[in-house]
Amino acid sequence: MRTRLMMLGPPGAGKGTQAQRLAEALRIPQISTGDMLRAAKAQGTPLGLEAAGYMDRGELVPDEVVVGIVKERLAGADVAQGFILDGFPRTVPQAEALAEAGVQLDAVINVSVPEDELMARITGRLSCPSCGAAFHRDNHPPRQEGTCDACGSALIVRKDDSAEVFGQRLRSYQAKTAPLAAFYQDRGLLFEVEGTGPLDVIQARIRDIVDAG
Ligand code: AP5
Ligand code: MG
């Protein structure tokens, strides 16, 4: 079984949604740099203050900042059986830093969704600030309006989920993150997953890759 995993894909591809389900099923942690940075921002820590401007503009936070928090997280005892990186690495230098730190991956799951659907997903998203779960006004509404199904917290609209900031996030993705597909393809680790359709169907596509290893 492949348990050292990374989710790759544009904003709104469903990385977080699928990573959270998979993490529960495999009982391994989901490590979302976006969630970690948003938590630091909400707490007003020096890291959060540094990251806030980049995030609100839809730009990537500098590599050295993100690499530092991921290395620290991967030193935790709970990653011994595996982990799901969600939103990291996001640049070739981040991927190189991960490899240099001795962290090996078993599979990089590249989730693809057409651009117009990404926009509709992002502008209708409702997010849980406590556990990171994502819902959607139309596609995937919470059971009780405004409340997270998973942990009961009040749902919010992420500050970077406007149409304008989404455009910048997509440009950052295309310029800096998309080249990671070739990077991991060269290393024999890339697996493509079609990211449209029901959540369970996409999860099953990912499970096929995980279970085949
Ligand atoms: P991050 O939080 O990682 O955001 P992102 O990559 O833009 O991705 P999203 O979280 O927006 O999308 P997702 O793929 O997780 O989709 P989701 O499952 O929520 O990063 C935010 C910011 O932090 C960055 O812009 C950057 O500033 C900074 N940052 C983070 N990591 C960094 C790094 N490594 N380096 C530098 N900077 C970093 O789904 C989206 C919506 O679609 C939801 O509403 C969901 O319900 C719905 N949906 C999901 N699947 C389906 C489906 N199959 N059908 C219909 N709707 C669906
Ligand atoms: Mg996410």
Side-chain angles (χ1 to χ4, degrees):
M1 189 181 267
R2 297 183 169 106
T3 58
R4 292 173 299 184
L5 308 168
M6 179 214 162
M7 305 292 297
L8 179 64
K15 303 181 294 295
T17 300
Q18 295 297 334
Q20 193 171 37
R21 290 181 169 221
L22 192 60
E24 273 164 31
L26 301 180
R27 297 169 189 269
I28 56 176
Q30 170 195 9
I31 300 177
S32 161
T33 42
D35 287 350
M36 290 159 84
L37 291 168
R38 276 184 290 279
K41 206 176 148 208
Q43 287 160 15
T45 66
L47 165 69
L49 294 175
E50 184 177 358
Y54 297 101
M55 297 174 80
D56 292 350
R57 288 191 299 273
E59 293 166 8
L60 294 182
V61 174
D63 289 336
E64 59 276 18
V65 174
V66 186
V67 167
I69 62 170
V70 173
K71 274 191 189 170
E72 201 175 301
R73 180 64 187 83
L74 288 174
D78 62 339
V79 304
Q81 306 304 319
F83 51 81
I84 307 170
L85 294 174
D86 164 12
F88 179 93
R90 202 97 148 202
T91 63
V92 170
Q94 289 180 18
E96 286 167 343
L98 191 67
E100 277 160 24
V103 179
Q104 301 206 342
L105 298 174
D106 299 326
V108 171
I109 296 164
N110 192 21
V111 185
S112 59
V113 172
E115 238 175 73
D116 52 347
E117 183 162 345
L118 294 174
M119 169 71 104
R121 288 186 185 187
I122 289 291
T123 53
R125 176 164 58 182
L126 301 166
S127 300
C128 178
S130 302
C131 76
F135 301 87
H136 190 279
R137 284 184 224 285
D138 312 314
N139 303 338
H140 177 42
R143 283 192 292 271
Q144 190 187 330
E145 202 184 328
T147 304
C148 177
D149 289 357
C151 75
S153 300
L155 298 174
I156 58 150
V157 173
R158 260 169 57 178
K159 200 171 174 187
D160 59 348
D161 275 353
S162 64
E164 193 190 12
V165 179
F166 168 71
Q168 179 53 48
R169 285 161 61 197
L170 196 57
R171 284 192 290 280
S172 300
Y173 170 79
Q174 282 156 349
K176 297 191 171 153
T177 309
L180 286 178
F183 180 94
Y184 285 116
Q185 174 93 62
D186 288 349
R187 285 155 184 77
L189 293 174
L190 193 76
F191 295 85
E192 297 288 347
V193 166
E194 165 74 65
T196 50
L199 301 187
D200 291 347
V201 173
I202 299 165
Q203 182 74 186
R205 291 175 190 148
I206 296 172
R207 271 314 285 262
D208 284 347
I209 296 165
V210 169
D211 295 344

